[in-house]
Amino acid sequence: SLARSETLAKVDTRNAQRATGDLSLADGTLSDISSALIRVKELTTQAASSTLSPDQLGAIGDELLAINESLFSLANARDSAGKALFGGESSGAAYQRDAAGNAVYVGTASSGDLPLGEGLSVSRSLTGPEIFNFNDASGNPTDLMTVVKNLGEALKGAAADPAGAARAALDTLSN
């Protein structure tokens, strides 16, 4: 209709292009996070076997800790305006490390909308908690980076039963 054509003609093309670019960035970053999660599950399944040596478990732990660092970097990816892609409306980082080395969300609770014109808008992205937080098998809140970090450390000797820690992590990651 003519009214629809007029509305579409008023769409802010600059913001529309920014939204398209930011959504592409988010899509690529989410794809990388998904690939990391698949690898975490593969490694966790291997570690859950009681037939691995301490050296093999340590090597898996090292890889999990490297994946955790990658997840932290991905969680702090920047959009086309230089803002944290998953930090909501925060101008700084989405995540920081606490004294124990755990990733802590420091962004805002919502990502906000990008106006496209004449009452049209699109959500900028997702927030970090929308991507990384979930409830474990007991219904307790946790997040992916904490699970991966704790398992990596457990496999490197922080747990008396590393295979048991891996089985517990596998249960948690299955939710």
Side-chain angles (χ1 to χ4, degrees):
S1 75
L2 182 58
R4 179 171 166 74
S5 296
E6 288 176 8
T7 299
L8 291 175
K10 294 178 183 176
V11 170
D12 183 338
T13 56
R14 188 183 78 242
N15 277 354
Q17 290 170 343
R18 178 177 169 208
T20 299
D22 288 352
L23 291 173
S24 291
L25 284 170
D27 184 54
T29 304
L30 289 170
S31 178
D32 291 345
I33 291 167
S34 178
S35 295
L37 178 57
I38 289 167
R39 183 64 181 149
V40 165
K41 285 186 172 185
E42 291 169 355
L43 292 169
T44 304
T45 300
Q46 290 174 23
S49 168
S50 57
T51 61
L52 297 179
S53 72
D55 287 343
Q56 291 169 316
L57 290 171
I60 292 173
D62 285 337
E63 187 171 347
L64 287 169
L65 292 174
I67 290 170
N68 185 54
E69 287 304 314
S70 176
L71 288 171
F72 185 78
S73 293
L74 291 168
N76 281 309
R78 299 289 176 168
D79 68 12
S80 61
K83 294 173 89 176
L85 191 58
F86 304 122
E89 299 199 58
S90 173
S91 60
Y95 284 85
Q96 293 178 350
R97 296 272 187 204
D98 66 12
N102 297 308
V104 178
Y105 184 69
V106 294
T108 63
S110 66
S111 61
D113 291 334
L114 186 62
L116 299 177
E118 285 298 315
L120 300 173
S121 64
V122 64
S123 178
R124 280 188 56 251
S125 185
L126 298 168
T127 63
E130 290 174 302
I131 299 165
F132 294 101
N133 292 12
F134 61 98
N135 290 332
D136 66 16
S138 301
N140 301 312
T142 190
D143 69 271
L144 179 60
M145 287 185 274
T146 297
V147 172
V148 173
K149 177 183 174 285
N150 290 345
L151 179 57
E153 290 172 350
L155 296 176
K156 291 184 61 61
D161 180 12
R167 287 188 292 277
L170 201 52
D171 286 344
T172 299
L173 292 170
S174 296
N175 283 334

